[in-house]
Amino acid sequence: MMKREHVPIVVSGLIGGRPVRWAPTERLVGDYDGRERTLEIFNADVPEQRPILEAVDRERLRLEKAAGGPLVLVFHSVKQSKTRHQEFLTFFESLFPVIEALPAPALVPWCPDEPGSRTDDPTPQQTPFPPKCPLRDGDEK
Amino acid sequence: MPRVLLRQLVRAPKAQRAPRRSEKGYYRHDSLPDDAARSGILTDDRRRDLMQLYGWRIKADYHDDPVEFEEADRAAELARRLVEGLLE
């Protein structure tokens, strides 16, 4: 069974390896429903946010079970991620070798517009950790 | 939260209605999209609209990062679509 601490990594795996974390309480002000279940998703520009939400939503039952209730998703654009969260992005990158060494979970890579990468694909790929999405036209290298 | 959504939730047949309430007595905002969809008030697409709007609202009011212009534009568009769908 998935544990709460696995949720960010599993979600990251569903959305092409984008950095994901539980929102640190020091970054939140005030109280709201779902505060303890707020996931921050980085490197997600507005046009990508809806497909990302849909990819996460398709797995929501097991994610919500692990999280203890409905997830609240807060997105950060590529620019905002770079300018305000570079430290976390670097830390997340450093986790990749550790994650890749773990026993293969049944994660399905997801990249926009890439055939066969959706979680509802009848023949999902099984990878130790999803590779990063290939760069598309207009992406920064 | 749009009043029209709450009004429809209150009017939903009792058998379908099981919205979760907070300890303070209001409908919980984090579970409202699921509750409204389960009651047949929102389609699956509009449920996701409401989820997305809630995330932006949290970012705007409770997170120390600002909502960006493009996000605000998109939020206005989704909110309009959501309310129009409820009024149809």
Side-chain angles (χ1 to χ4, degrees):
Chain A
M1 187 183 142
M2 194 195 309
K3 292 182 178 174
R4 178 185 157 83
E5 56 264 35
H6 299 153
V7 171
I9 293 297
V10 171
V11 168
S12 176
L14 294 169
I15 58 174
R18 286 179 175 77
V20 178
R21 71 178 173 189
W22 290 116
T25 50
E26 65 271 18
R27 300 202 78 92
L28 302 172
V29 290
D31 196 16
Y32 59 87
D33 297 329
R35 187 177 192 271
E36 69 283 9
R37 283 173 269 103
T38 303
L39 270 185
E40 288 186 286
I41 296 175
F42 297 85
N43 291 340
D45 286 334
V46 170
E48 297 168 328
Q49 291 181 9
R50 182 55 172 247
I52 288 173
L53 181 140
E54 288 173 3
V56 175
D57 189 53
R58 277 194 287 273
E59 300 291 330
R60 74 180 188 282
L61 292 181
R62 65 187 186 117
L63 292 170
E64 288 181 0
K65 195 173 176 189
L71 299 176
V72 179
L73 304 183
V74 169
F75 294 98
H76 300 283
S77 68
V78 172
K79 186 180 173 190
Q80 191 170 69
S81 301
K82 265 188 184 170
T83 55
R84 299 177 68 99
H85 302 281
Q86 187 57 53
E87 196 178 334
F88 174 68
L89 299 190
T90 307
F91 168 72
F92 195 86
E93 286 274 326
S94 74
L95 291 179
F96 267 71
V98 179
I99 294 166
E100 281 172 343
L102 294 173
L107 292 178
V108 182
W110 179 88
C111 299
D113 307 325
E114 190 177 308
S117 69
R118 306 293 294 258
T119 53
D120 52 2
D121 189 275
T123 54
Q125 303 166 44
Q126 303 288 314
T127 59
F129 192 73
K132 288 184 175 179
C133 293
L135 290 174
R136 292 163 298 162
D137 292 343
D139 282 353
E140 273 184 47
K141 292 187 180 171
Chain B
M1 206 57 64
R3 279 188 188 176
V4 63
L5 172 60
L6 296 177
R7 204 176 302 134
Q8 291 198 28
L9 199 56
V10 170
R11 287 176 184 168
K14 262 192 176 175
Q16 296 173 9
R17 194 175 72 228
R20 283 157 277 191
R21 287 175 179 271
S22 79
E23 290 168 0
K24 294 174 186 169
Y26 63 84
Y27 292 134
R28 288 187 63 93
H29 295 166
D30 55 348
S31 54
L32 190 60
D34 274 345
D35 292 340
R38 207 173 44 243
S39 299
I41 295 166
L42 294 181
T43 62
D44 210 39
D45 219 27
R46 297 295 85 79
R47 176 180 65 80
R48 286 170 171 168
D49 285 350
L50 193 54
M51 283 175 66
Q52 204 166 1
L53 285 166
Y54 189 52
W56 283 322
R57 192 269 162 127
I58 295 308
K59 189 177 180 187
D61 289 347
Y62 297 99
H63 198 284
D64 64 0
D65 277 10
V67 164
E68 295 176 89
F69 286 121
E70 204 180 344
E71 289 177 318
D73 274 352
R74 185 76 183 129
E77 193 183 315
L78 289 196
R80 202 176 303 120
R81 186 167 78 180
L82 181 67
V83 173
E84 280 171 2
L86 289 167
L87 293 174
E88 274 173 7

